[in-house]
Structure formats: structure tokens, C-alpha cells
Amino acid sequence: MIDVTGKAVVAPDFSTIDEFAGVFPGWCAWRYEDRCSGKKPAKVPFGKRGRLSTAEPASWLAYSDARVFFNGGGFDGLGVLMTGSNGVVAFDVDGCLDDAGNVVAEHDAVAALEAMGSYIEVSPGGRGLRGFVIGAKPEGCRE
């Protein structure tokens, strides 16, 4: 899949997601949409009835439904929904992978992601890693 910036998007690896799927309460399929403002494209979440809201948990999908929905086509990725109050915390380590997908040695944050023992994925742009854990964000951290 190619996003609106013309870059290749890394497809979800379901074999690794399946292990952690039941841990996270809300899922969606998402696709890039151009913001027409020169900024990077937005990752817009979708459910069975179109765009969904992170503020409306009733619109979220179960993992199995999100996977089927994604496989129907027209989406760039599968997403875990986070509201700040549902116990899902994400960590991004940008620029930690080289062009071949290998970890760049000077990124100590990668070891911290691995030590969490949770789900870690390659970011859609293919140059970073993202990890998800169940926990609470420390007070004062930004969304």
C-alpha cells in the first residue's frame, strides 16, 4: 500500500498481532488522508459505519472484526484505539531502523521497548518502532 505522500506503508503482521489482540480493548482499520496543509497525512480511524470516534467506545471494533474489516481493502493499517483512560499506553521510537529494517545501534530506547514484554510493531513508514502496554501515563506527559 502507498500512503498519500507516495511512501510505501508497512502492512500489519497479523502473526505477531494475534498474540496480544485480546489485551487491548478497541481496534479500528485506518487509512491515511491528506490534511491539505503541508503536514504529514492524518491516520483516520474507521469502523463498520465509517469514521469512528475515540470518544465513543461503542463504535470501536473487536480485534477479529477490525482484522476482517481491514482485509476487505481500502485501508493502510490496523490500529489500537487509545483514549488516555482505557489503560493503553503507546511508545514511539522514531528513526531507529535503517533502510534494511535493522535497528540502529545508538537507539537505547529500542531496548526499553523490548523490555516491556508487550506488542511492538514497525511503524507504517518503516523507519521506527512502536510498542503498546497496559498501564497509566505518568502525570505531566503529553498525549
Side-chain angles (χ1 to χ4, degrees):
M1 176 76 66
I2 304 295
D3 77 18
V4 295
T5 65
K7 295 180 180 176
V9 177
V10 176
D13 181 353
F14 293 115
S15 66
T16 58
I17 297 172
D18 289 346
E19 180 181 351
F20 295 98
V23 175
F24 305 116
W27 292 83
C28 68
W30 61 264
R31 72 172 163 244
Y32 283 117
E33 291 190 0
D34 192 358
R35 296 182 197 205
C36 299
S37 62
K39 296 181 182 178
K40 70 180 184 177
K43 287 170 49 179
V44 180
F46 285 84
K48 293 178 182 176
R49 295 188 179 129
R51 287 183 183 207
L52 58 81
S53 170
T54 59
E56 297 177 21
S59 70
W60 300 356
L61 301 173
Y63 170 71
S64 58
D65 292 335
R67 185 172 169 173
V68 168
F69 195 59
F70 170 82
N71 285 333
F75 299 99
D76 295 306
L78 197 65
V80 174
L81 294 164
M82 297 176 290
T83 65
S85 64
N86 68 355
V88 179
V89 180
F91 299 89
D92 285 318
V93 181
D94 296 325
C96 65
L97 302 178
D98 63 19
D99 291 336
N102 300 309
V103 173
V104 177
E106 60 267 15
H107 282 277
D108 295 332
V110 173
L113 275 177
E114 291 173 340
M116 288 183 230
S118 188
Y119 174 68
I120 299 172
E121 66 183 17
V122 174
S123 63
R127 296 299 302 256
L129 294 174
R130 175 179 27 215
F132 297 93
V133 296
I134 299 298
K137 182 178 58 165
E139 206 168 306
C141 286
R142 64 185 175 100
E143 298 275 6

